[in-house]
């Protein structure tokens, strides 16, 4: 008993399958994802240099670029070594100065430049102290 019969000549079936396979999307290429970066371990000398540079005025972003590490890694290293961080808001004296200058008619930007902070820091401080702010044309809000 022959069970193959008409299925022995599979040429037309194979050709039909090959045609269908060509219509399928190419699955051999994968999405271009960046390769995971190897974690950089800074030795004690480089950590000491990083801390010194931060204390002499370099920003966390500058140090991250210079040492080719993440900004968060720089912050973690500084916290781990108990280095005091800069710019944690305004001191009470700076708030008093900001309020005084703003009430004299200075703009938020001008006060911020004077105190070397962001204008949003000044705005936040004024709002926390209940100081009414003006719009960009000097009119009360």
């Amino acid at each position: 008993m022959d069970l193959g019969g008409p299925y022995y000549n599979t040429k037309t079936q194979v050709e039909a399958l090959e045609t269908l396979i060509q219509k399928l999307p190419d699955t051999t290429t994968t999405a271009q994802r960046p390769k995971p970066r190897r974690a950089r371990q800074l030795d004690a000398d480089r950590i000491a240099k990083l801390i010194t540079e931060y204390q002499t005025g370099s920003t966390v972003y500058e140090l991250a670029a210079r040492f080719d590490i993440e900004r968060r890694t720089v912050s973690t290293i500084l916290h781990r070594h108990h280095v005091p961080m800069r710019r944690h808001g305004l001191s009470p004296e700076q708030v008093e100065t900001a309020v005084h200058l703003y009430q004299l008619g200075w703009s938020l930007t001008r006060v911020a430049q004077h105190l070397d902070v962001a204008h949003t820091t000044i705005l936040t401080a004024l709002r926390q102290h209940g100081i009414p702010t003006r719009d960009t044309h000097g009119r009360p809000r």
Side-chain angles (χ1 to χ4, degrees), residues 23-38:
K23 292 180 182 179
L24 291 174
D26 185 14
T27 59
T28 58
T29 59
T30 59
Q32 294 294 334
R33 285 190 264 169
K35 287 186 177 182
R37 292 177 49 176
R38 187 170 182 267

Side-chain angles (χ1 to χ4, degrees), residues 77-140:
I77 291 169
L78 295 173
H79 287 293
R80 191 179 303 139
H81 289 86
H82 308 289
V83 176
M85 302 299 287
R86 294 190 297 267
R87 303 215 180 174
H88 283 292
L90 299 174
S91 68
E93 296 81 22
Q94 288 176 313
V95 171
E96 188 178 310
T97 301
V99 169
H100 177 70
L101 294 174
Y102 189 74
Q103 288 176 336
L104 285 176
W106 287 31
S107 69
L108 287 174
T109 303
R110 187 172 172 200
V111 174
Q113 288 171 346
H114 179 74
L115 295 175
D116 194 27
V117 295
H119 73 281
T120 53
T121 303
I122 301 297
L123 181 60
T124 302
L126 293 176
R127 287 181 176 163
Q128 287 174 344
H129 288 81
I131 307 299
T133 56
R134 302 180 298 268
D135 68 7
T136 56
H137 300 287
R139 298 180 297 241

Side-chain angles (χ1 to χ4, degrees), residues 12-26:
T12 56
Q13 295 168 339
V14 170
E15 288 174 350
L17 282 175
E18 286 175 347
T19 304
L20 288 174
I21 289 172
Q22 289 174 355
K23 292 180 182 179
L24 291 174
D26 185 14

Side-chain angles (χ1 to χ4, degrees), residues 40-61:
R40 294 199 186 281
Q41 299 293 322
L42 298 182
D43 59 11
D45 293 337
R46 289 181 54 101
I47 289 174
K49 185 176 181 183
L50 182 141
I51 292 170
T52 302
E53 289 185 22
Y54 180 78
Q55 290 172 333
T56 58
S58 293
T59 67
V60 171
Y61 292 93

